């Protein structure tokens, strides 16, 4: 005899973050989702660097607000906009207090403003549609290729894979492995991503290799642990702690294996010398490649509540880079001469420039990513490879990467993908189970409102029509 609980758990699930039933296809939205990121290689230089993609998103925003603006009232985008507004306000207050020059605070304010407007436009453009998420990803991929071919940066010219085509190629692979013949082949999607991680490792892009290999292992684990029955995806502190612990173990193991391979010269002489220089310091290779964190933490400790201003400059802190030589690390003398306070982190960069409120914004983003990645393996999601790579890359960038100019577009896109993933996770719980849980643990005041509703409801005589 089949138990009622078994029947309940195997009933039809709620649709996962999909458009309302009966909604018409929106080919124009799909076209904008593809074309807008495709033009990231086009820039306009005013006070700072402005992408044509941002102008397209800004022009489309009023129409998107009229068409789908109600979506921004959902809890996740509402919280994003609230924290972003507080971040901007804190930056404005800091710049007035620090008497920041116009050339600096205009760029600082526009960075936060365009990050916010880009998020709004991208959210309204692609949220709720897996097809438009894929189209936007393809646009980002080929926009990245065109940027490298037409308008490459100095870093891309010196390290083509790390700063040029590496991220785009791996993102393209996460889309290709969604194709059913590949997705249905056991462990094949993870092996494809693992191969690109090995390529990243071979060409010396250690951080991208680590993110990609961890994402590949996660994808393979998801296929191994795939379950048909839905499970509760309510936030679990214990699950998140275990996720962080496993991530720490995997990262430590990767660093140790990389050290063994690099020191033996298997990755080339350049990789061997780079590893030896970065690992010779007191705090190991991880912070050896991110030595700016030592300086940014000192700047934060000196002014934890109020920041140092947009594009914060202080020769006192930039000169501290030279003191890292005493700890055994190589020093970027160009960074020390620029007088900019080095950060090399989304989180620390916002904290140094805008104060604690800027850090709160990125801590919330980090918490969103951890919450998604500590639960995603529990359900089957067609876009899981893309979401997995996006999630791990976002975690790394928030902690260890500077908030560069193109991140005003890429970071909001990554956050929207994770918001979609979290709503998909929530929607994986059967409706019957959700309703039963609500009946067992009613919200405060729910019973009282229900009694009032029964009193006010007019009595109906006779059978219902």
């Amino acid at each position: 005899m089949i138990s009622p609980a078994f029947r309940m758990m195997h009933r039809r699930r709620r649709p996962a973050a999909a458009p309302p039933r009966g909604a018409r296809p929106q080919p124009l939205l799909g076209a904008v989702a593809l074309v807008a990121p495709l033009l990231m290689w086009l820039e306009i230089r005013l006070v700072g660097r402005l992408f044509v993609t941002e102008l397209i998103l800004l022009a489309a925003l009023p129409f998107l607000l009229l068409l789908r603006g109600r979506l921004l009232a959902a809890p996740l985008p509402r919280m994003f906009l609230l924290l972003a507004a507080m971040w901007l306000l804190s930056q404005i207050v800091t710049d007035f207090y620090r008497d920041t020059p116009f050339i600096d605070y205009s760029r600082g304010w526009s960075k936060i403003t365009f990050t916010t407007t880009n998020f709004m436009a991208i959210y309204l453009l692609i949220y709720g549609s897996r097809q438009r998420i894929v189209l936007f990803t393809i646009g980002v991929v080929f926009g990245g290729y065109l940027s490298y071919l037409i308008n490459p940066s100095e870093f891309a010219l010196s390290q083509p894979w790390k700063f040029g085509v590496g991220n785009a190629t791996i993102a393209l692979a996460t889309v290709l492995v969604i194709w059913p013949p590949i997705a249905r082949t056991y462990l094949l999607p993870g092996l494809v991503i693992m191969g690109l991680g090995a390529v990243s490792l071979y060409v010396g892009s250690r951080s991208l290799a680590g993110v990609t290999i961890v994402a590949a292992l996660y994808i393979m684990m998801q296929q191994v642990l795939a379950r048909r029955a839905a499970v509760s995806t309510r936030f679990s502190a214990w699950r998140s702690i275990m996720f962080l612990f496993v991530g720490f173990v995997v990262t430590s193991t990767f660093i140790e294996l990389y050290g063994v391979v690099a020191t033996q010269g298997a990755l080339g002489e350049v990789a061997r010398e780079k590893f030896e220089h970065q690992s010779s310091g007191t705090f190991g290779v991880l912070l050896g490649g991110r030595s700016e964190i030592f300086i940014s933490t000192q700047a934060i400790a000196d002014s934890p509540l109020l920041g140092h201003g947009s594009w914060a400059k202080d020769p006192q802190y930039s000169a501290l880079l030279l003191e890292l030589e005493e700890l055994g690390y190589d020093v970027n003398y160009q960074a020390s001469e620029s007088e900019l306070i080095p950060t090399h982190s989304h989180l620390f960069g916002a904290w140094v420039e805008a104060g604690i409120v800027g850090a709160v914004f990125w801590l919330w983003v980090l918490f969103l990513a951890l919450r998604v990645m500590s639960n995603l393996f529990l359900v089957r999601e067609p876009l899981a490879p893309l979401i997995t790579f996006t999630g791990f890359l976002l975690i790394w960038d928030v902690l260890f990467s500077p908030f560069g100019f193109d991140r005003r577009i890429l970071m909001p896109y990554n956050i929207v993908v994770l918001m979609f993933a979290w709503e998909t996770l929530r929607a994986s719980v059967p409706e019957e189970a959700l309703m039963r849980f609500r009946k067992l643990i009613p919200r405060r005041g729910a019973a009282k409102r229900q009694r009032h509703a029964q009193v006010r409801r007019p009595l109906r005589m006779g059978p219902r029509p």
Side-chain angles (χ1 to χ4, degrees), residues 428-446:
S428 66
V429 181
E431 183 69 23
E432 295 87 348
L434 183 63
M435 294 304 296
R436 175 170 295 187
F437 180 80
R438 288 176 178 173
K439 289 178 181 179
L440 291 175
I441 308 178
R443 295 181 179 179
R444 183 179 299 177

Side-chain angles (χ1 to χ4, degrees), residues 80 87 110-119 403 408 412:
F80 178 96
W87 178 20
S110 63
K111 175 178 67 175
I112 303 173
T113 301
F114 274 106
T115 299
T116 305
T117 56
N118 290 341
F119 166 81
F403 192 73
R408 298 195 305 257

